[in-house]
Each structure stands twice: as C-alpha cells, then as structure tokens.
C-alpha cells in the first residue's frame, strides 16, 4: 500500500479507538490550514486516515486489503478472470456479436476501465457534469458553548458557481453550437484491440464533455468551467447539546459542480474541549464538591458551581462521602426537544482533617463517647 494510515496518525496497528481519536485530534489541531504553520495537504491526509480507522468496518477491510479495500468490496480478492458468462460489460460487443448481460462489481469496473476506458463504467453519462466535491472541516468549541449553543464563522477557499455565466461555462450572449468533434452525439467511438478480442469503445467526447453542444465563446472569468475558486466566509450554527465528535452536514455548501452540476456538501466535525470541573454523561452534567466533616455531620448550605452560575445546595445532616445530589434542569439540552434539559449530578466528598488540631481532637473524643 502506498500510504500507511496507522503511520500517518502515529499509532500502532493494535491502537484502540480512543488512541486513534486522540492522535487524530492532536494532529488535526497542529496541521489545520487555518492555523499558522498549517499544512492543507497533511491535514487532508490525516482526515483520510481517520475516516477509515475510526470506522470499524472500514478499518477491518483496510487491515485486510490495504487502501484498495473499497475496490475489493470486502470479497477477499477477485480469483482470476474466469466465469465471465452472464455479466454486463457496459455496452460492449465483441467481434460484432451480442452484448453480455448482468453486472460487475466495483472492483472489475476499475480494472476494465483502465484497459478500455469509459465504456466499462469508468466514465460519465452523456450530457452530465461532475458534481462538486464535499468539504470536511473540524471546529473546536468549549464545554459551555456545547451546553448553550454557539456559532462559528469559518473562511473557506472553494469552487463556487461563476457569477458571470451562472455555471453554464459560456460567455453571456454567446450561442450554443453543435459540437464539431462528436457531431452532437456527445460520444466518441473507436475500436480497441486486447487479449479479449476487438471491442468497440464508446467514450465521452472531450470537447463538449458529453453535452453534444458547445458555446461559441467560453466565459472569460471561469474559462468555460462554470465555476471559480474563491474565498468565502460561512456562518455555522452549532446547536446546544451537540455531542463531541458529532458532524453537522450543510447541504450544498461544498464545492460547486462543473457547468452547473450539483454542489457538494460541507461536513463540520465538532470537538468539545474538556472542562476542568464538569463532565458530560448523556444529557447530565457531573461535578464534585468538597465539604468539611462538620458540614457532613450537621448539615449546611453550600455554593455549587453550575453551567448557568453558582447556586446554593442544601447538604442534609448525616451526609456521607460520595453521596450524590441532583440539581434539576442544570444539565445539557436535549437536541430536538424544546426546553428539555438534563440534570447536574453533584458528588459530595467529605474532607477528613489529616492533621486535626488539639481542639478538634478533643471534640472528636467527646463525639466518640456518645457513640
């Protein structure tokens, strides 16, 4: 394999899911293109590795097949070229005979498209343009932002639809004409000789890209592509209660397609920074409070920190160390359930004096006599 995903992330092949996630977050933060000293190529490579190794099925296939696992389809190899009867070769006819029926898997399409070109399923359909690529970015938010919701303005440099030709690729006012190369068919046919015999190959016309028509003059801004690469700032709204590692999908905010084809999507991976005091468990917030021995025995009211600010919590007399108290509605909002929130679970730790004073010892002795 040309790339070792484990080596890219700097983990062993036996690394746990948590180890892979930690390594990815560290490297993604280091090489993010928006940071000074970032590396867009390295960042893309890190994302590619993580997307495979973080998915159990993809990781298993990668361990077995390497980077060609998608073409292998998880089938454990091709097993030679025998048994072609009943398969569809995508419109080929051999020596003027009848076409084959049936369908190949993705692995065979790649093999035969390398030998014969688009007629074996490797090319585009007539009159179609390539859709835009998806974009994936990472955004880090604080624990408080996760609870309350927030937004980020991110700057992207991507392909957008040309504002001069509006994606057509033709100069405004120019006429559409029949393609002189394919005479309007959108396809080029030629004969290819191979060890299978002679085949009639049908490929997309390179001049009109399968449309059958061309503009008399290309757009001066996009040079006929229908899109241009420009910088743009996009606002991303992050809902309250989003999970660490969750992805927000923004349809159509990826790169614009060629000549008016559909745009890709923008995928925003959310990373929540750990909080020094709070932890999340489902939609509850967990915290710890220390109280004195006398507060535990006699009871008291103590100030407890919550996400929304400090509040007073009652400590009943006789409280034991590690007792838990629930503060209603001070947890994380439920996504999609308006007004519904989790609770805050406070674990109380009773501090026992390590070096009690003489007076404290005397009082404790008096207490022991009453036991």
């Amino acid at each position: 394999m040309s790339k070792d995903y484990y080596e890219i992330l700097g983990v062993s092949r036996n690394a746990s899911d948590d180890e892979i996630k930690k390594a990815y977050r560290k490297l993604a933060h280091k090489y993010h293109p928006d940071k000074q000293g970032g590396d867009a190529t390295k960042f893309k490579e890190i994302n590619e590795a993580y997307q495979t190794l973080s998915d159990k099925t993809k990781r298993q296939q990668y361990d077995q097949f390497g980077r060609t696992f998608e073409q292998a389809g998880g089938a454990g190899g091709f097993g030679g070229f025998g048994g072609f009867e009943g398969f569809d070769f995508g419109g080929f006819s051999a020596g003027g005979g009848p076409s084959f029926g049936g369908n190949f898997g993705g692995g065979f399409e790649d093999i035969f498209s390398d030998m014969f070109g688009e007629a074996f399923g490797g090319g585009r359909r007539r009159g179609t343009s390539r859709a835009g690529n998806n974009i994936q970015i990472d955004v880090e938010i604080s624990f408080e932002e996760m609870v309350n919701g927030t937004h980020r303005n991110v700057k992207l440099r991507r392909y957008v639809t040309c504002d001069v030709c509006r994606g057509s690729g033709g100069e405004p006012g120019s006429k559409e004409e029949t393609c002189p190369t394919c005479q309007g068919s959108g396809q080029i046919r030629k004969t290819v000789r191979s060890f299978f015999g002679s085949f009639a190959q049908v490929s997309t016309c390179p001049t009109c890209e399968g449309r059958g028509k061309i503009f008399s003059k290309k757009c001066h801004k996009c040079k006929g592509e229908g899109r241009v690469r420009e910088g743009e700032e996009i606002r991303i709204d992050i809902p309250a209660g989003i999970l660490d590692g969750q992805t927000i999908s923004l349809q159509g905010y990826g790169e614009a397609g060629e000549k008016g084809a559909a745009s890709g999507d923008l995928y925003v991976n959310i990373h929540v920074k750990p909080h020094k005091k709070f932890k999340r468990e489902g939609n509850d917030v967990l915290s710890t409070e220390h109280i004195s021995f006398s507060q535990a025995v006699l009871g008291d009211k103590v100030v407890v920190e919550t996400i929304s600010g400090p509040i007073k919590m009652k400590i009943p007399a006789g409280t034991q160390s590690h007792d838990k108290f629930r503060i209603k509605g001070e947890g994380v909002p439920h996504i999609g359930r308006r007004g519904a929130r989790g609770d805050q679970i406070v674990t109380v730790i009773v501090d026992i004096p390590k070096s009690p004073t003489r007076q404290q010892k005397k009082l404790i002795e008096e207490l022991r006599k009453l036991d």
Side-chain angles (χ1 to χ4, degrees), residues 281 286-289 313-316 319-327 344-349:
E281 186 175 273
L286 309 182
S287 67
T288 302
E289 291 293 335
M313 184 181 76
K314 183 180 179 180
I315 301 293
T319 293
Q320 305 295 304
S321 190
H322 293 88
D323 278 355
K324 299 181 187 297
F325 297 88
R326 183 179 298 270
I327 305 175
Q344 181 168 336
I345 311 299
V346 182
T347 300
V348 170
I349 306 295

Side-chain angles (χ1 to χ4, degrees), residues 34 38 89 92 97-98 120 156 158 167 174 177 212 216 222 270 321 332 343:
D34 291 342
F89 281 15
F92 268 102
F120 245 101
L156 300 176
R158 58 182 183 141
S174 62
E177 303 172 344
S216 58
C222 66
I270 303 298
S321 190
V332 178
D343 303 324

Side-chain angles (χ1 to χ4, degrees), residues 257-330:
E258 295 179 355
K259 294 182 174 60
S263 296
D265 299 331
L266 174 63
Y267 294 98
V268 185
N269 301 320
I270 303 298
H271 304 284
V272 181
K273 291 188 290 187
H275 196 280
K276 62 181 180 181
K277 185 173 182 64
F278 303 119
K279 289 185 178 180
R280 177 176 180 174
E281 186 175 273
N283 284 87
D284 291 333
V285 172
L286 309 182
S287 67
T288 302
E289 291 293 335
H290 289 257
I291 63 173
S292 66
F293 179 74
S294 61
Q295 287 175 315
V297 173
L298 302 174
D300 198 0
K301 285 187 176 181
V302 298
V303 176
V304 174
E305 290 294 330
T306 71
I307 287 295
S308 56
I311 64 171
K312 282 191 174 182
M313 184 181 76
K314 183 180 179 180
I315 301 293
T319 293
Q320 305 295 304
S321 190
H322 293 88
D323 278 355
K324 299 181 187 297
F325 297 88
R326 183 179 298 270
I327 305 175
K328 291 285 187 179
E330 289 294 338

Side-chain angles (χ1 to χ4, degrees), residues 11 40 44 78 85 128 134 140 150 162 167 194-195 203 213 235 311 335 338 363:
V11 297
K44 182 178 179 181
F78 300 120
E85 299 81 10
T128 62
N134 296 328
E140 190 173 59
T150 187
C162 177
S194 72
F195 54 86
S203 60
K213 291 182 177 296
R235 176 187 169 110
I311 64 171
I335 294 181
R338 189 179 181 87
L363 292 171

Side-chain angles (χ1 to χ4, degrees), residues 189-201:
R189 299 177 65 90
K190 64 180 180 180
T191 301
V192 177
R193 297 182 181 276
S194 72
F195 54 86
F196 288 109
S198 296
F199 294 89
Q201 179 190 20

Side-chain angles (χ1 to χ4, degrees), residues 113 117-125 204:
S113 64
E118 299 171 0
F120 245 101
R124 288 174 278 175
R125 295 179 181 177
T204 301

